[in-house]
Amino acid sequence: MGLVDGRVAVVTGAGRGIGRAHALAYAAEGARVVVNDVGAGLDGSGCEAGPASLVAAEIRAAGGEAVANTDDVADWAGAERLVSAAVAAFGSLDVLVLNAGFLRDRMLVNLAEDEWDAVVRVHLKGHFAPLRHAAEYWRAEAKAGRARDARVVMTSSGAGLLGSVGQGNYSAAKAGILGLASVAAAELGRYGVTVNAIAPAARTRMTEGTFDLAAPASGFDAMAPENVSPLVVWLGSLEAAGVTGRVFEVDGGRVAVADGWRHGPARDKGSRWEPGELGPVVASLLAAATSPEPVYGA
């Protein structure tokens, strides 16, 4: 038996790259998979059914169970259809892996409104909309006495954790995903749902223009997308029942827990501060605090 044998998993953005690796890894460990991909280009333009259908066919050819779905995850009705597709095809939904996204990189002084809106829409709303419909399904199941031991795995980024020069829209959306994951973990635990996020690094269409990610001629390929998927599969398993509200960095053979914002040094006067008093106060607080990690590309 595989680690997720018999579980039903939806993977968004699963036609290529990391999402494709997730879908194949879930199927290899026994899950029945809904392969979602709208088939858009790297910048989010266009739409083709081929990528999702090809991955679903690849899973079936290997003896697994999979169906393709091409709904837009950032469309409210499309996200609802995606969740319904899992229940219709396989009778339930146990795991939601949110991975879909694209880039429109610009320095802030050149970033256009539509480039901001498009990236935030697909990454952030594209996480919220499927999550919202899945949560409604899981709540209904719990109230009917059929609580699912369900899992959500969201996809943030190092850009969401630390920021990335030239990616203000992407960094903001990925940071928003971390906030959403924290709230979802706190709210959905009562229904038997855990929610975690990953910040992966791998060779994909989205990263090939940013980093030198050429595959090695031989030996371990540290930037292969397949390196990310084992953790994502484990987080979707029954073994991960006690893990929720956490963020993991994962790349190559490395898995790390990311420490997010937390309360730091403080001074309480017991009354309102005067503006002129605060210079030395802030200086003392910063001297006692840990310095922030540098922004990527700074």
PDB file of all heavy atoms in Angstrom, residues 177-208:
ATOM      1  N   ILE A 177      -0.588  34.226   0.821  1.00  0.00           N
ATOM      2  CA  ILE A 177      -0.893  32.799   0.960  1.00  0.00           C
ATOM      3  C   ILE A 177      -0.495  32.301   2.347  1.00  0.00           C
ATOM      4  O   ILE A 177      -1.202  31.487   2.960  1.00  0.00           O
ATOM      5  CB  ILE A 177      -0.188  31.996  -0.152  1.00  0.00           C
ATOM      6  CG1 ILE A 177      -0.907  32.243  -1.484  1.00  0.00           C
ATOM      7  CG2 ILE A 177      -0.140  30.505   0.175  1.00  0.00           C
ATOM      8  CD1 ILE A 177      -0.139  31.756  -2.696  1.00  0.00           C
ATOM      9  N   LEU A 178       0.620  32.795   2.869  1.00  0.00           N
ATOM     10  CA  LEU A 178       1.058  32.378   4.204  1.00  0.00           C
ATOM     11  C   LEU A 178       0.063  32.834   5.268  1.00  0.00           C
ATOM     12  O   LEU A 178      -0.249  32.091   6.206  1.00  0.00           O
ATOM     13  CB  LEU A 178       2.448  32.941   4.504  1.00  0.00           C
ATOM     14  CG  LEU A 178       3.572  32.448   3.595  1.00  0.00           C
ATOM     15  CD1 LEU A 178       4.874  33.164   3.927  1.00  0.00           C
ATOM     16  CD2 LEU A 178       3.751  30.942   3.706  1.00  0.00           C
ATOM     17  N   GLY A 179      -0.456  34.049   5.128  1.00  0.00           N
ATOM     18  CA  GLY A 179      -1.468  34.517   6.061  1.00  0.00           C
ATOM     19  C   GLY A 179      -2.745  33.703   5.957  1.00  0.00           C
ATOM     20  O   GLY A 179      -3.362  33.347   6.971  1.00  0.00           O
ATOM     21  N   LEU A 180      -3.141  33.389   4.733  1.00  0.00           N
ATOM     22  CA  LEU A 180      -4.334  32.580   4.517  1.00  0.00           C
ATOM     23  C   LEU A 180      -4.168  31.190   5.120  1.00  0.00           C
ATOM     24  O   LEU A 180      -5.104  30.649   5.731  1.00  0.00           O
ATOM     25  CB  LEU A 180      -4.615  32.477   3.017  1.00  0.00           C
ATOM     26  CG  LEU A 180      -5.801  31.613   2.591  1.00  0.00           C
ATOM     27  CD1 LEU A 180      -7.109  32.148   3.167  1.00  0.00           C
ATOM     28  CD2 LEU A 180      -5.873  31.534   1.060  1.00  0.00           C
ATOM     29  N   ALA A 181      -2.988  30.602   4.976  1.00  0.00           N
ATOM     30  CA  ALA A 181      -2.737  29.272   5.530  1.00  0.00           C
ATOM     31  C   ALA A 181      -2.875  29.278   7.048  1.00  0.00           C
ATOM     32  O   ALA A 181      -3.435  28.345   7.638  1.00  0.00           O
ATOM     33  CB  ALA A 181      -1.349  28.784   5.122  1.00  0.00           C
ATOM     34  N   SER A 182      -2.370  30.318   7.691  1.00  0.00           N
ATOM     35  CA  SER A 182      -2.459  30.398   9.150  1.00  0.00           C
ATOM     36  C   SER A 182      -3.910  30.456   9.610  1.00  0.00           C
ATOM     37  O   SER A 182      -4.310  29.762  10.554  1.00  0.00           O
ATOM     38  CB  SER A 182      -1.695  31.635   9.653  1.00  0.00           C
ATOM     39  OG  SER A 182      -0.321  31.529   9.392  1.00  0.00           O
ATOM     40  N   VAL A 183      -4.694  31.293   8.945  1.00  0.00           N
ATOM     41  CA  VAL A 183      -6.108  31.430   9.320  1.00  0.00           C
ATOM     42  C   VAL A 183      -6.867  30.133   9.034  1.00  0.00           C
ATOM     43  O   VAL A 183      -7.667  29.669   9.856  1.00  0.00           O
ATOM     44  CB  VAL A 183      -6.743  32.611   8.572  1.00  0.00           C
ATOM     45  CG1 VAL A 183      -8.252  32.660   8.812  1.00  0.00           C
ATOM     46  CG2 VAL A 183      -6.100  33.920   9.007  1.00  0.00           C
ATOM     47  N   ALA A 184      -6.612  29.541   7.873  1.00  0.00           N
ATOM     48  CA  ALA A 184      -7.311  28.308   7.505  1.00  0.00           C
ATOM     49  C   ALA A 184      -6.993  27.176   8.473  1.00  0.00           C
ATOM     50  O   ALA A 184      -7.869  26.394   8.849  1.00  0.00           O
ATOM     51  CB  ALA A 184      -6.954  27.907   6.079  1.00  0.00           C
ATOM     52  N   ALA A 185      -5.739  27.082   8.904  1.00  0.00           N
ATOM     53  CA  ALA A 185      -5.362  26.043   9.869  1.00  0.00           C
ATOM     54  C   ALA A 185      -6.129  26.225  11.173  1.00  0.00           C
ATOM     55  O   ALA A 185      -6.585  25.251  11.781  1.00  0.00           O
ATOM     56  CB  ALA A 185      -3.859  26.080  10.113  1.00  0.00           C
ATOM     57  N   ALA A 186      -6.274  27.475  11.612  1.00  0.00           N
ATOM     58  CA  ALA A 186      -6.970  27.749  12.862  1.00  0.00           C
ATOM     59  C   ALA A 186      -8.470  27.489  12.747  1.00  0.00           C
ATOM     60  O   ALA A 186      -9.099  27.001  13.691  1.00  0.00           O
ATOM     61  CB  ALA A 186      -6.727  29.198  13.288  1.00  0.00           C
ATOM     62  N   GLU A 187      -9.049  27.795  11.586  1.00  0.00           N
ATOM     63  CA  GLU A 187     -10.500  27.693  11.432  1.00  0.00           C
ATOM     64  C   GLU A 187     -10.986  26.301  11.056  1.00  0.00           C
ATOM     65  O   GLU A 187     -12.090  25.900  11.439  1.00  0.00           O
ATOM     66  CB  GLU A 187     -10.984  28.688  10.374  1.00  0.00           C
ATOM     67  CG  GLU A 187     -10.855  30.142  10.793  1.00  0.00           C
ATOM     68  CD  GLU A 187     -11.503  31.087   9.788  1.00  0.00           C
ATOM     69  OE1 GLU A 187     -12.078  30.595   8.781  1.00  0.00           O
ATOM     70  OE2 GLU A 187     -11.434  32.308  10.009  1.00  0.00           O
ATOM     71  N   LEU A 188     -10.190  25.550  10.299  1.00  0.00           N
ATOM     72  CA  LEU A 188     -10.684  24.295   9.726  1.00  0.00           C
ATOM     73  C   LEU A 188     -10.325  23.064  10.545  1.00  0.00           C
ATOM     74  O   LEU A 188     -10.798  21.967  10.246  1.00  0.00           O
ATOM     75  CB  LEU A 188     -10.167  24.133   8.292  1.00  0.00           C
ATOM     76  CG  LEU A 188     -10.563  25.238   7.312  1.00  0.00           C
ATOM     77  CD1 LEU A 188     -10.043  24.920   5.916  1.00  0.00           C
ATOM     78  CD2 LEU A 188     -12.066  25.447   7.290  1.00  0.00           C
ATOM     79  N   GLY A 189      -9.511  23.235  11.585  1.00  0.00           N
ATOM     80  CA  GLY A 189      -9.152  22.091  12.411  1.00  0.00           C
ATOM     81  C   GLY A 189     -10.357  21.396  13.012  1.00  0.00           C
ATOM     82  O   GLY A 189     -10.373  20.172  13.176  1.00  0.00           O
ATOM     83  N   ARG A 190     -11.413  22.148  13.311  1.00  0.00           N
ATOM     84  CA  ARG A 190     -12.617  21.566  13.921  1.00  0.00           C
ATOM     85  C   ARG A 190     -13.313  20.575  12.989  1.00  0.00           C
ATOM     86  O   ARG A 190     -14.109  19.759  13.439  1.00  0.00           O
ATOM     87  CB  ARG A 190     -13.590  22.681  14.301  1.00  0.00           C
ATOM     88  CG  ARG A 190     -14.258  23.371  13.122  1.00  0.00           C
ATOM     89  CD  ARG A 190     -14.979  24.641  13.526  1.00  0.00           C
ATOM     90  NE  ARG A 190     -14.031  25.698  13.863  1.00  0.00           N
ATOM     91  CZ  ARG A 190     -14.410  26.919  14.245  1.00  0.00           C
ATOM     92  NH1 ARG A 190     -15.701  27.213  14.358  1.00  0.00           N
ATOM     93  NH2 ARG A 190     -13.495  27.827  14.521  1.00  0.00           N
ATOM     94  N   TYR A 191     -13.008  20.657  11.702  1.00  0.00           N
ATOM     95  CA  TYR A 191     -13.610  19.743  10.730  1.00  0.00           C
ATOM     96  C   TYR A 191     -12.672  18.605  10.345  1.00  0.00           C
ATOM     97  O   TYR A 191     -12.949  17.857   9.411  1.00  0.00           O
ATOM     98  CB  TYR A 191     -14.037  20.507   9.472  1.00  0.00           C
ATOM     99  CG  TYR A 191     -14.909  21.699   9.770  1.00  0.00           C
ATOM    100  CD1 TYR A 191     -14.536  22.977   9.360  1.00  0.00           C
ATOM    101  CD2 TYR A 191     -16.094  21.560  10.487  1.00  0.00           C
ATOM    102  CE1 TYR A 191     -15.321  24.081   9.641  1.00  0.00           C
ATOM    103  CE2 TYR A 191     -16.892  22.660  10.782  1.00  0.00           C
ATOM    104  CZ  TYR A 191     -16.501  23.920  10.359  1.00  0.00           C
ATOM    105  OH  TYR A 191     -17.282  25.011  10.654  1.00  0.00           O
ATOM    106  N   GLY A 192     -11.538  18.497  11.033  1.00  0.00           N
ATOM    107  CA  GLY A 192     -10.579  17.435  10.733  1.00  0.00           C
ATOM    108  C   GLY A 192      -9.630  17.765   9.602  1.00  0.00           C
ATOM    109  O   GLY A 192      -9.053  16.860   8.990  1.00  0.00           O
ATOM    110  N   VAL A 193      -9.455  19.063   9.322  1.00  0.00           N
ATOM    111  CA  VAL A 193      -8.626  19.508   8.195  1.00  0.00           C
ATOM    112  C   VAL A 193      -7.335  20.134   8.712  1.00  0.00           C
ATOM    113  O   VAL A 193      -7.373  21.008   9.586  1.00  0.00           O
ATOM    114  CB  VAL A 193      -9.387  20.536   7.329  1.00  0.00           C
ATOM    115  CG1 VAL A 193      -8.539  20.955   6.124  1.00  0.00           C
ATOM    116  CG2 VAL A 193     -10.734  20.001   6.894  1.00  0.00           C
ATOM    117  N   THR A 194      -6.196  19.701   8.198  1.00  0.00           N
ATOM    118  CA  THR A 194      -4.933  20.379   8.467  1.00  0.00           C
ATOM    119  C   THR A 194      -4.552  21.220   7.259  1.00  0.00           C
ATOM    120  O   THR A 194      -4.883  20.879   6.115  1.00  0.00           O
ATOM    121  CB  THR A 194      -3.790  19.396   8.775  1.00  0.00           C
ATOM    122  OG1 THR A 194      -3.463  18.658   7.593  1.00  0.00           O
ATOM    123  CG2 THR A 194      -4.177  18.442   9.895  1.00  0.00           C
ATOM    124  N   VAL A 195      -3.852  22.321   7.514  1.00  0.00           N
ATOM    125  CA  VAL A 195      -3.442  23.241   6.447  1.00  0.00           C
ATOM    126  C   VAL A 195      -1.990  23.616   6.667  1.00  0.00           C
ATOM    127  O   VAL A 195      -1.628  24.130   7.733  1.00  0.00           O
ATOM    128  CB  VAL A 195      -4.306  24.512   6.432  1.00  0.00           C
ATOM    129  CG1 VAL A 195      -3.907  25.410   5.261  1.00  0.00           C
ATOM    130  CG2 VAL A 195      -5.795  24.172   6.352  1.00  0.00           C
ATOM    131  N   ASN A 196      -1.161  23.363   5.673  1.00  0.00           N
ATOM    132  CA  ASN A 196       0.249  23.732   5.724  1.00  0.00           C
ATOM    133  C   ASN A 196       0.654  24.370   4.399  1.00  0.00           C
ATOM    134  O   ASN A 196      -0.080  24.292   3.411  1.00  0.00           O
ATOM    135  CB  ASN A 196       1.114  22.504   5.999  1.00  0.00           C
ATOM    136  CG  ASN A 196       0.867  21.922   7.378  1.00  0.00           C
ATOM    137  OD1 ASN A 196       1.310  22.464   8.374  1.00  0.00           O
ATOM    138  ND2 ASN A 196       0.122  20.812   7.428  1.00  0.00           N
ATOM    139  N   ALA A 197       1.811  25.008   4.390  1.00  0.00           N
ATOM    140  CA  ALA A 197       2.317  25.639   3.174  1.00  0.00           C
ATOM    141  C   ALA A 197       3.761  25.222   2.942  1.00  0.00           C
ATOM    142  O   ALA A 197       4.481  24.883   3.882  1.00  0.00           O
ATOM    143  CB  ALA A 197       2.222  27.161   3.274  1.00  0.00           C
ATOM    144  N   ILE A 198       4.153  25.254   1.693  1.00  0.00           N
ATOM    145  CA  ILE A 198       5.545  25.010   1.328  1.00  0.00           C
ATOM    146  C   ILE A 198       6.104  26.211   0.582  1.00  0.00           C
ATOM    147  O   ILE A 198       5.364  26.984  -0.033  1.00  0.00           O
ATOM    148  CB  ILE A 198       5.706  23.741   0.462  1.00  0.00           C
ATOM    149  CG1 ILE A 198       4.967  23.897  -0.881  1.00  0.00           C
ATOM    150  CG2 ILE A 198       5.245  22.509   1.206  1.00  0.00           C
ATOM    151  CD1 ILE A 198       5.348  22.856  -1.917  1.00  0.00           C
ATOM    152  N   ALA A 199       7.399  26.381   0.669  1.00  0.00           N
ATOM    153  CA  ALA A 199       8.130  27.366  -0.123  1.00  0.00           C
ATOM    154  C   ALA A 199       9.193  26.590  -0.894  1.00  0.00           C
ATOM    155  O   ALA A 199      10.289  26.353  -0.381  1.00  0.00           O
ATOM    156  CB  ALA A 199       8.763  28.429   0.768  1.00  0.00           C
ATOM    157  N   PRO A 200       8.860  26.133  -2.101  1.00  0.00           N
ATOM    158  CA  PRO A 200       9.775  25.253  -2.833  1.00  0.00           C
ATOM    159  C   PRO A 200      10.743  26.020  -3.722  1.00  0.00           C
ATOM    160  O   PRO A 200      10.520  27.177  -4.071  1.00  0.00           O
ATOM    161  CB  PRO A 200       8.805  24.440  -3.699  1.00  0.00           C
ATOM    162  CG  PRO A 200       7.698  25.411  -4.010  1.00  0.00           C
ATOM    163  CD  PRO A 200       7.572  26.294  -2.778  1.00  0.00           C
ATOM    164  N   ALA A 201      11.807  25.352  -4.095  1.00  0.00           N
ATOM    165  CA  ALA A 201      12.715  25.849  -5.123  1.00  0.00           C
ATOM    166  C   ALA A 201      13.027  24.699  -6.059  1.00  0.00           C
ATOM    167  O   ALA A 201      13.431  23.624  -5.609  1.00  0.00           O
ATOM    168  CB  ALA A 201      14.002  26.392  -4.509  1.00  0.00           C
ATOM    169  N   ALA A 202      12.782  24.921  -7.355  1.00  0.00           N
ATOM    170  CA  ALA A 202      13.000  23.861  -8.337  1.00  0.00           C
ATOM    171  C   ALA A 202      13.077  24.472  -9.725  1.00  0.00           C
ATOM    172  O   ALA A 202      12.746  25.646  -9.931  1.00  0.00           O
ATOM    173  CB  ALA A 202      11.876  22.827  -8.273  1.00  0.00           C
ATOM    174  N   ARG A 203      13.491  23.672 -10.674  1.00  0.00           N
ATOM    175  CA  ARG A 203      13.595  24.102 -12.062  1.00  0.00           C
ATOM    176  C   ARG A 203      12.226  23.974 -12.732  1.00  0.00           C
ATOM    177  O   ARG A 203      11.709  22.872 -12.916  1.00  0.00           O
ATOM    178  CB  ARG A 203      14.632  23.246 -12.799  1.00  0.00           C
ATOM    179  CG  ARG A 203      14.824  23.625 -14.276  1.00  0.00           C
ATOM    180  CD  ARG A 203      15.916  22.797 -14.922  1.00  0.00           C
ATOM    181  NE  ARG A 203      15.693  21.365 -14.768  1.00  0.00           N
ATOM    182  CZ  ARG A 203      16.357  20.584 -13.913  1.00  0.00           C
ATOM    183  NH1 ARG A 203      17.289  21.081 -13.133  1.00  0.00           N
ATOM    184  NH2 ARG A 203      16.083  19.303 -13.830  1.00  0.00           N
ATOM    185  N   THR A 204      11.616  25.110 -13.072  1.00  0.00           N
ATOM    186  CA  THR A 204      10.333  25.123 -13.765  1.00  0.00           C
ATOM    187  C   THR A 204      10.352  26.235 -14.805  1.00  0.00           C
ATOM    188  O   THR A 204      11.320  27.002 -14.898  1.00  0.00           O
ATOM    189  CB  THR A 204       9.167  25.385 -12.784  1.00  0.00           C
ATOM    190  OG1 THR A 204       9.233  26.755 -12.338  1.00  0.00           O
ATOM    191  CG2 THR A 204       9.230  24.451 -11.584  1.00  0.00           C
ATOM    192  N   ARG A 205       9.258  26.364 -15.544  1.00  0.00           N
ATOM    193  CA  ARG A 205       9.139  27.477 -16.492  1.00  0.00           C
ATOM    194  C   ARG A 205       9.251  28.820 -15.771  1.00  0.00           C
ATOM    195  O   ARG A 205       9.730  29.810 -16.327  1.00  0.00           O
ATOM    196  CB  ARG A 205       7.788  27.429 -17.218  1.00  0.00           C
ATOM    197  CG  ARG A 205       7.594  26.263 -18.150  1.00  0.00           C
ATOM    198  CD  ARG A 205       6.317  26.450 -18.963  1.00  0.00           C
ATOM    199  NE  ARG A 205       5.145  26.628 -18.112  1.00  0.00           N
ATOM    200  CZ  ARG A 205       3.981  27.088 -18.538  1.00  0.00           C
ATOM    201  NH1 ARG A 205       3.832  27.469 -19.803  1.00  0.00           N
ATOM    202  NH2 ARG A 205       2.948  27.193 -17.717  1.00  0.00           N
ATOM    203  N   MET A 206       8.772  28.874 -14.521  1.00  0.00           N
ATOM    204  CA  MET A 206       8.749  30.129 -13.781  1.00  0.00           C
ATOM    205  C   MET A 206      10.120  30.546 -13.272  1.00  0.00           C
ATOM    206  O   MET A 206      10.346  31.722 -12.981  1.00  0.00           O
ATOM    207  CB  MET A 206       7.768  30.029 -12.605  1.00  0.00           C
ATOM    208  CG  MET A 206       6.320  29.998 -13.038  1.00  0.00           C
ATOM    209  SD  MET A 206       5.174  29.704 -11.668  1.00  0.00           S
ATOM    210  CE  MET A 206       5.580  31.046 -10.544  1.00  0.00           C
ATOM    211  N   THR A 207      11.050  29.617 -13.134  1.00  0.00           N
ATOM    212  CA  THR A 207      12.349  29.948 -12.536  1.00  0.00           C
ATOM    213  C   THR A 207      13.506  29.893 -13.515  1.00  0.00           C
ATOM    214  O   THR A 207      14.597  30.369 -13.195  1.00  0.00           O
ATOM    215  CB  THR A 207      12.661  28.985 -11.370  1.00  0.00           C
ATOM    216  OG1 THR A 207      12.618  27.628 -11.845  1.00  0.00           O
ATOM    217  CG2 THR A 207      11.658  29.149 -10.244  1.00  0.00           C
ATOM    218  N   GLU A 208      13.285  29.362 -14.697  1.00  0.00           N
ATOM    219  CA  GLU A 208      14.426  29.141 -15.585  1.00  0.00           C
ATOM    220  C   GLU A 208      15.048  30.448 -16.066  1.00  0.00           C
ATOM    221  O   GLU A 208      16.221  30.485 -16.430  1.00  0.00           O
ATOM    222  CB  GLU A 208      14.008  28.284 -16.785  1.00  0.00           C
ATOM    223  CG  GLU A 208      12.960  28.913 -17.678  1.00  0.00           C
ATOM    224  CD  GLU A 208      12.496  27.964 -18.787  1.00  0.00           C
ATOM    225  OE1 GLU A 208      12.923  26.794 -18.789  1.00  0.00           O
ATOM    226  OE2 GLU A 208      11.713  28.424 -19.636  1.00  0.00           O
TER     227      GLU A 208
END
